[in-house]
Amino acid sequence: METLIDNNLSVYTFGNKKADGSRKMKNLLGGKGANLAEMSRIGIPVPPGFTITTEVCTQYNEEGKDAVIARIEPEVRAAINSIEETMGAMFGDDDNPLLISVRSGARVSMPGMMDTVLNLGLNDESIKGVIKMTGNERFAWDSYRRFIQMYSSVVMGLKPESKEDLDPFEEIIDHLKDKRRIEQDTQFTVQDLQDLVYDFKDIVKKRTGKPFPTNPWDQLWGAILAVFDSWNGDRAIYYRKMHGYPEDWGTAVNVQAMVFGNMGEDSGTGVCFTRDAGTGENVFNGEYLINAQGEDVVAGVRTPQQITLLGSQRWAKLAQIEEEERKEKYPSLEELMPEIYKELFEYQNKLETHYQDMQDMEFTIQQGKLWILQTRNGKRTGAAMVKIAMDLLKEGLIDEKIALNRIEPRKLDELLHPIFDPEALEDAEVVAQGLPASPGAATGQIVFFADEAEKYKNSILVRIETSPEDVEGMNIAKGIVTARGGMTSHAAVVARGIGKCCVSGAGALKINYKNRTLTVGGHEYHEGDWISINGSTGNILEGKVATKEPELSGEFAELMKLSDAYAQMEVRTNADTPKDAEIARSFGATGIGLTRTEHMFFEVDRIKAMREMILADTIKGRKQALKELLPMQRSDFEGIFRAMKGYPVTVRLLDPPLHEFVPHQLATQKELAEDLHISLSSVKTKVAELEEFNPMLGHRGCRLGNTYPEITEMQTQAILEAALNLKKEGINTKPEIMVPLVGTVEEFIQQKAVIDQTAEEVFKRRKDTVEYSVGTMMETPRATLVADEIAKYADFFSFGTNDLTQMTFGYSRDDSGKFLPIYLQKGILKADPFEILDQEGVGQLIEIGTQRGRESHPGLKVGICGEHGGEPSSVGFCQKVGMNYVSCSPFRVPIARVAAAQAALNEN
Ligand code: PEP
Ligand code: MG
């Protein structure tokens, strides 16, 4: 573990190929700060600066602003001095002013969550110095107006008045453009920019009641505190919750000398990736703009150009631009500035090798000099994550252990989700073309505002561009489309991070927020209309387009193989149908850990017999109805056993409360009465009798089998006869019969007796036998406490952590939705315990149950079949406890396989 304090510094400086910090100090300096220090150390040209530690942020939250400023001020002043020396400029000087940037930087990158201020230090006096130094009046005024715009929104909190309103500064800019009859920002004259500065200051004063600060030191402290405050902003809190990052991490503040990409035609700025973040392909790629500042690339106001010639040609092909036009209007950096390109190419190589991972870098060219502003491990899609890890392994840059640990198991989900059905795609009409910002396929109904993404079950969020406020809605929507912005725009970066399909920069879309319309190619779409988007090609398609299951790549198969080589636990699946079983097998499940038999009873042809059984007043009546159910159950089991080809299958006896099977509506009650030739009133009486105050704690689980042993008999008979039939086909199944919801050993003993007795009868009648075992679910706290007793009779334990969580917390599985979100929001709970296993509490019971069980039954087979069996952190816990297997839903099998491998690897 990295120690936070190693020399009592609150401020760490970097630049000039030296640094106080290093990459190992991420927790203290934040990801960005640690990387800036590291880059400086290894000889990458970064603009000089300093990092205020994350610890100061935590102190700020605890002690408040005055105490913190007083403590760190001397260090900040000294650090500014050191930048001044390197850059040969003075902060706050009128003749030769040093301009700086202030950025946030938590220990993990949180795109768009935290705020940035550029050009800090400008005021009515220092601008004269900038003009004198650069001889570029236009640039100076442009920087000044950008600074006011950013500072006012980030630090002073100036925002549009409503979501339909434009940004107040953009409104002033648009107004001026209309007045001057111009279209581009670049067409503004110096006078225009000066007018903008005055108008901007005016609106700041009007809207905030405060004048825009002129003293650079006031500006600097304002910005530093705004970064700290943004750690507790709604967006940051939401992002932290989404990813489970703790609140007490805090953010660092990075202060750095400004370098300018907008100082003319020999300047520029860009973003690049050492490999393709969408596909993982090993090609250097990225985008840049000449005569622009960083936010121009990210905000997508202008369409960026490609860095490499190859990228540029690929882009032109997609955009249907002829080679001549491409060369002239959109040349690559490789063509336009070959020397700079060469240098950049070397740095990207050096950085990827140094960090042994795909890097996402930002750079600026200031009057022919290249500066690297930042590098970080690049966000990537699930597909890219797998390909890059496997490629780096093959290239010998990382070993198997690192390759496996590079996989975020949860992200594999993206690879397993639908793509467009190629046939449906052939007939689909392409209405517009954007950039393939985040791969995948989505079809849904249009919404124009992120906070309305929930309006439809499947919504596509259509925006001119997205901003950090939209992240929550982007997460809910099935896909995202933007009219502006490149591959590194906010929409693209966030979408890739959360694995959401996204098409960005579809310039042909005309979006009108007020009317809630989207116009393209003469067609007007309204909110609620269906469209489809292809994040792999950038196509936007008319209407609904059918999707299908994806095919998995060679690297995916390699990853699975690698996982199995390290995993110690088996990964089984929860499957109730042959189809589910087959999907799970194709994903590598090596058995079924849970077949819930009740699901089979809900099908139309069975529910009648089931109801007849429940409504019967006598054993004879019940047995008669069960007889009808027997062949259906038997054929269900045959299907499942056949699909599993001899792999173990655990079948659980009937579990849910019986009232779930009877009709509660008058019409269906009448139908049932007619079907069974009994009176409506007797149906009603029986339904009323079955009603329970707490059905989850009522007549369910083995309490059913113990009160109606004939149900257990029928199910056992169906299971074993199915296995015997399969044996004839040459498939040897060893069914594992599982008793649910046991709390006392006697409950289990009596059920086991019924099962064994039935087995004896079946084998005698069929003159044949199969091997079978009888085990129990561990779902009640009591069962875990008396596990040593139960294990004397049970062949295996399977932890049903859904019910165990319910009973340990005393939270109803069905009603927790009413309070859990508030508990999470208030921090009473860190995570939903039904999703992520509560290792601290429920975990103790699992440990006790496993230990005690194995004390009286050495080598007892133990597994888990609650929802947690496919959740990576819970899988890690299962390994620690020494379980033999985890069982999860079919689509989570690959996730569990990687999580099991990681758990085994990281245990040693
Ligand atoms: C459980 O309780 O964890 C379990 C797997 O059973 P069910 O969800 O069917 O109650
Ligand atoms: Mg259960």
Side-chain angles (χ1 to χ4, degrees):
M1 245 316 273
E2 169 195 333
T3 49
L4 281 187
I5 304 175
D6 62 342
N7 53 14
N8 275 331
L9 291 179
S10 295
V11 171
Y12 284 66
T13 61
F14 56 82
N16 242 347
K17 302 189 177 173
K18 292 192 305 255
D20 294 331
S22 76
R23 75 201 268 199
K24 296 205 181 92
M25 300 169 81
K26 248 190 192 155
N27 293 0
L28 187 64
L29 301 180
K32 212 173 273 173
N35 278 333
L36 285 166
E38 185 75 7
M39 279 200 287
S40 199
R41 237 173 228 277
I42 64 168
I44 302 284
V46 296
F50 60 90
T51 304
I52 305 175
T53 68
T54 54
E55 217 164 54
V56 177
C57 177
T58 311
Q59 289 162 0
Y60 170 79
N61 288 333
E62 284 164 5
E63 300 167 27
K65 128 182 168 196
D66 295 339
V68 163
I69 294 183
R71 190 160 49 243
I72 68 171
E73 189 166 11
E75 281 184 64
V76 169
R77 286 198 177 264
I80 288 277
N81 275 343
S82 127
I83 305 179
E84 288 172 338
E85 270 170 38
T86 311
M87 296 302 280
M90 297 278 284
F91 188 54
D93 195 79
D94 292 349
D95 288 333
N96 183 16
L98 167 72
L99 301 188
I100 54 179
S101 66
V102 179
R103 296 166 209 262
S104 64
R107 47 174 102 172
V108 290
S109 121
M110 294 167 64
M113 291 296 113
M114 313 298 281
D115 299 307
T116 298
V117 178
L118 302 173
N119 301 325
L120 194 142
L122 272 172
N123 57 28
D124 291 351
E125 300 308 316
S126 62
I127 189 164
K128 293 177 196 148
V130 177
I131 295 169
K132 209 164 80 195
M133 268 160 34
T134 59
N136 189 339
E137 205 174 354
R138 193 176 185 289
F139 153 70
W141 283 102
D142 193 38
S143 302
Y144 194 14
R145 69 100 186 160
R146 283 167 193 272
F147 169 54
I148 298 175
Q149 216 170 327
M150 258 187 183
Y151 194 93
S152 310
S153 115
V154 170
V155 180
M156 303 177 79
L158 194 65
K159 294 265 153 37
E161 283 180 328
S162 79
K163 69 183 178 190
E164 274 98 0
D165 277 332
L166 278 176
D167 173 277
F169 298 110
E170 291 299 336
E171 221 164 314
I172 296 173
I173 290 174
D174 285 352
H175 185 73
L176 184 61
K177 278 186 191 162
D178 281 350
K179 199 172 112 192
R180 296 258 297 98
R181 293 173 199 276
I182 54 174
E183 283 187 358
Q184 303 284 337
D185 290 6
T186 46
Q187 292 170 285
F188 283 137
T189 61
V190 171
Q191 185 56 52
D192 290 336
L193 294 166
Q194 281 175 350
D195 290 348
L196 284 179
V197 164
Y198 293 119
D199 289 348
F200 282 5
K201 284 202 218 161
D202 211 40
I203 193 128
V204 170
K205 180 96 188 286
K206 269 198 201 123
R207 290 270 186 99
T208 68
K210 283 179 270 177
F212 190 82
T214 50
N215 181 319
W217 280 99
D218 291 345
Q219 294 173 353
L220 176 58
W221 287 113
I224 291 172
L225 299 183
V227 171
F228 287 154
D229 285 335
S230 69
W231 178 253
N232 286 318
D234 293 346
R235 290 179 269 142
I237 290 173
Y238 176 74
Y239 195 86
R240 284 205 292 276
K241 284 238 162 77
M242 207 162 91
H243 293 266
Y245 300 146
E247 305 228 342
D248 59 9
W249 276 3
T251 178
V253 184
N254 296 298
V255 178
Q256 221 179 345
M258 283 296 298
V259 289
F260 294 96
N262 56 349
M263 284 179 90
E265 293 303 304
D266 58 353
S267 302
T269 190
V271 181
C272 57
F273 300 89
T274 60
R275 296 180 190 231
D276 190 313
T279 63
E281 196 187 349
N282 186 5
V283 284
F284 175 48
N285 65 98
E287 294 170 335
Y288 76 104
L289 279 172
I290 286 294
N291 202 6
Q293 287 224 106
E295 78 272 15
D296 295 331
V297 182
V298 179
V301 180
R302 283 160 57 189
T303 299
Q305 289 157 237
Q306 297 295 312
I307 287 178
T308 66
L309 175 58
L310 177 72
S312 183
Q313 285 168 338
R314 281 184 180 180
W315 169 84
K317 203 167 158 207
L318 270 177
Q320 296 175 339
I321 290 171
E322 292 297 325
E323 176 64 6
E324 289 285 287
E325 189 186 346
R326 180 201 70 76
K327 258 189 169 161
E328 195 195 312
K329 287 198 191 150
Y330 310 101
S332 63
L333 186 71
E334 190 172 357
E335 294 159 291
L336 199 67
M337 297 181 177
E339 286 305 312
I340 296 271
Y341 174 80
K342 220 172 111 205
E343 206 185 334
L344 181 64
F345 189 83
E346 269 166 34
Y347 294 146
Q348 65 93 21
N349 247 339
K350 188 169 185 172
L351 285 166
E352 185 179 275
T353 312
H354 187 71
Y355 286 100
Q356 300 172 327
D357 199 2
M358 187 263 273
Q359 296 297 294
D360 164 354
M361 304 152 57
E362 282 178 23
F363 66 90
T364 283
I365 304 156
Q366 177 174 309
Q367 298 183 320
K369 163 128 184 77
L370 175 65
W371 294 94
I372 305 296
L373 303 186
Q374 71 158 301
T375 190
R376 57 187 173 191
N377 293 339
K379 294 219 168 284
R380 62 204 76 179
T381 60
M385 170 185 75
V386 174
K387 179 157 174 59
I388 291 171
M390 292 298 113
D391 283 354
L392 289 175
L393 172 65
K394 276 180 251 172
E395 290 159 28
L397 220 58
I398 56 175
D399 62 20
E400 289 183 347
K401 187 173 169 176
I402 296 177
L404 268 173
N405 277 327
R406 285 277 168 82
I407 305 298
E408 232 181 284
R410 222 181 272 276
K411 253 178 123 63
L412 293 173
D413 217 24
E414 288 169 37
L415 292 166
L416 312 171
H417 284 300
I419 52 171
F420 283 127
D421 180 338
E423 268 176 38
L425 209 52
E426 265 175 34
D427 301 332
E429 183 197 340
V430 178
V431 292
Q433 171 75 47
L435 296 169
S438 182
T443 185
Q445 289 170 276
I446 296 174
V447 293
F448 291 102
F449 299 100
D451 60 0
E452 294 174 10
E454 258 172 324
K455 212 165 185 173
Y456 306 104
K457 190 161 163 268
N458 298 304
S459 61
I460 303 282
L461 178 63
V462 177
R463 301 278 306 160
I464 296 173
E465 60 201 7
T466 62
S467 71
E469 278 92 336
D470 298 330
V471 172
E472 196 169 344
M474 292 167 78
N475 205 22
I476 295 165
K478 287 278 175 275
I480 301 140
V481 176
T482 66
R484 282 193 203 149
M487 294 289 283
T488 47
S489 64
H490 177 266
V493 170
V494 170
R496 281 200 296 272
I498 58 177
K500 191 90 16 162
C501 164
C502 174
V503 172
S504 69
L509 307 184
K510 297 280 166 287
I511 295 164
N512 186 324
Y513 290 141
K514 279 222 157 73
N515 301 340
R516 299 181 180 232
T517 55
L518 159 67
T519 316
V520 60
H523 186 91
E524 192 172 89
Y525 292 85
H526 300 95
E527 185 181 274
D529 287 349
W530 284 82
I531 54 165
S532 300
I533 61 173
N534 189 337
S536 311
T537 61
N539 283 339
I540 300 173
L541 308 157
E542 162 68 28
K544 267 191 206 179
V545 180
T547 55
K548 70 173 236 296
E549 298 308 325
E551 279 160 31
L552 296 170
S553 69
E555 283 86 8
F556 181 83
E558 286 165 23
L559 170 67
M560 289 298 122
K561 210 168 141 203
L562 186 63
S563 301
D564 292 349
Y566 284 90
Q568 290 163 356
M569 289 186 296
E570 220 187 291
V571 177
R572 295 193 181 190
T573 191
N574 294 355
D576 308 339
T577 62
K579 186 167 170 264
D580 280 356
E582 261 155 37
I583 294 174
R585 279 282 307 116
S586 74
F587 287 149
T590 52
I592 289 183
L594 173 65
T595 294
R596 291 177 166 102
T597 49
E598 57 271 16
H599 291 175
M600 302 165 174
F601 293 126
F602 283 103
E603 283 171 30
V604 216
D605 54 339
R606 295 142 195 234
I607 190 75
K608 195 179 138 234
M610 187 66 187
R611 286 172 174 165
E612 200 177 329
M613 190 274 290
I614 295 169
L615 296 190
D617 287 323
T618 59
I619 297 190
K620 195 168 158 244
R622 264 198 302 279
K623 282 198 168 169
Q624 184 54 41
L626 284 164
K627 221 175 177 173
E628 280 177 55
L629 286 169
L630 174 75
M632 303 182 208
Q633 278 254 285
R634 190 172 50 218
S635 77
D636 287 335
F637 295 138
E638 282 171 9
I640 290 174
F641 293 161
R642 197 172 287 121
M644 290 311 286
K645 300 189 169 73
Y647 279 105
V649 177
T650 309
V651 183
R652 180 181 72 186
L653 301 177
L654 193 65
D655 180 66
L658 294 183
H659 81 95
E660 285 189 15
F661 298 96
V662 293
H664 293 273
Q665 275 166 357
L666 188 61
T668 6
Q669 286 179 347
K670 271 187 187 155
E671 239 172 67
L672 184 64
E674 275 166 28
D675 272 353
L676 302 182
H677 307 293
I678 52 174
S679 68
L680 175 62
S681 69
S682 58
V683 171
K684 281 184 161 174
T685 311
K686 195 74 192 181
V687 170
E689 265 173 38
L690 289 170
E691 212 131 279
E692 294 178 314
F693 284 110
N694 293 308
M696 273 291 180
L697 300 176
H699 195 183
R700 60 169 288 221
C702 68
R703 297 157 209 170
L704 289 173
N706 274 312
T707 48
Y708 299 144
E710 51 281 6
I711 300 177
T712 305
E713 281 166 18
M714 182 280 282
Q715 292 202 294
T716 305
Q717 187 182 343
I719 295 165
L720 295 176
E721 286 180 356
L724 286 166
N725 292 349
L726 267 276
K727 191 177 166 186
K728 286 209 180 105
E729 288 178 23
I731 298 172
N732 281 318
T733 309
K734 284 182 237 159
E736 299 170 346
I737 301 173
M738 183 154 74
V739 182
L741 221 73
V742 162
T744 75
V745 67
E746 203 54 39
E747 279 181 310
F748 182 71
I749 290 174
Q750 295 210 10
Q751 279 293 282
K752 184 166 157 49
V754 175
I755 295 165
D756 287 341
Q757 171 71 31
T758 309
E760 217 181 293
E761 286 163 19
V762 169
F763 295 156
K764 207 160 123 198
R765 202 171 345 103
R766 295 285 296 258
K767 298 192 179 61
D768 197 2
T769 59
V770 288
E771 240 183 83
Y772 72 96
S773 56
V774 186
T776 178
M777 292 197 69
M778 282 278 145
E779 300 181 279
T780 68
R782 192 181 192 283
T784 66
L785 299 174
V786 299
D788 46 348
E789 276 306 306
I790 298 173
K792 285 180 192 160
Y793 306 90
D795 295 319
F796 61 88
F797 280 179
S798 176
F799 281 91
T801 43
N802 303 334
D803 273 312
L804 191 57
T805 299
Q806 168 170 262
M807 288 190 233
T808 307
F809 275 89
Y811 294 167
S812 158
R813 284 164 71 172
D814 298 330
D815 303 312
S816 60
K818 290 193 182 127
F819 56 87
L820 270 186
I822 299 165
Y823 267 34
L824 293 171
Q825 192 196 341
K826 288 194 162 179
I828 296 174
L829 287 177
K830 284 216 171 70
D832 177 346
F834 290 108
E835 190 191 328
I836 295 179
L837 185 74
D838 161 48
Q839 298 182 17
E840 194 188 346
V842 179
Q844 279 192 53
L845 291 175
I846 296 176
E847 269 181 306
I848 291 172
T850 307
Q851 241 171 38
R852 293 190 184 168
R854 286 190 178 147
E855 265 163 32
S856 66
H857 182 156
L860 175 76
K861 187 164 70 178
V862 178
I864 182 173
C865 64
E867 281 309 301
H868 308 92
E871 192 284 316
S873 68
S874 315
V875 172
F877 177 80
C878 295
Q879 164 82 21
K880 238 176 39 204
V881 173
M883 284 196 193
N884 302 85
Y885 70 88
V886 297
S887 187
C888 56
S889 59
F891 278 94
R892 290 170 96 185
V893 167
I895 298 173
R897 284 167 78 189
V898 175
Q902 289 178 343
L905 264 178
N906 300 328
E907 201 179 39
N908 307 317

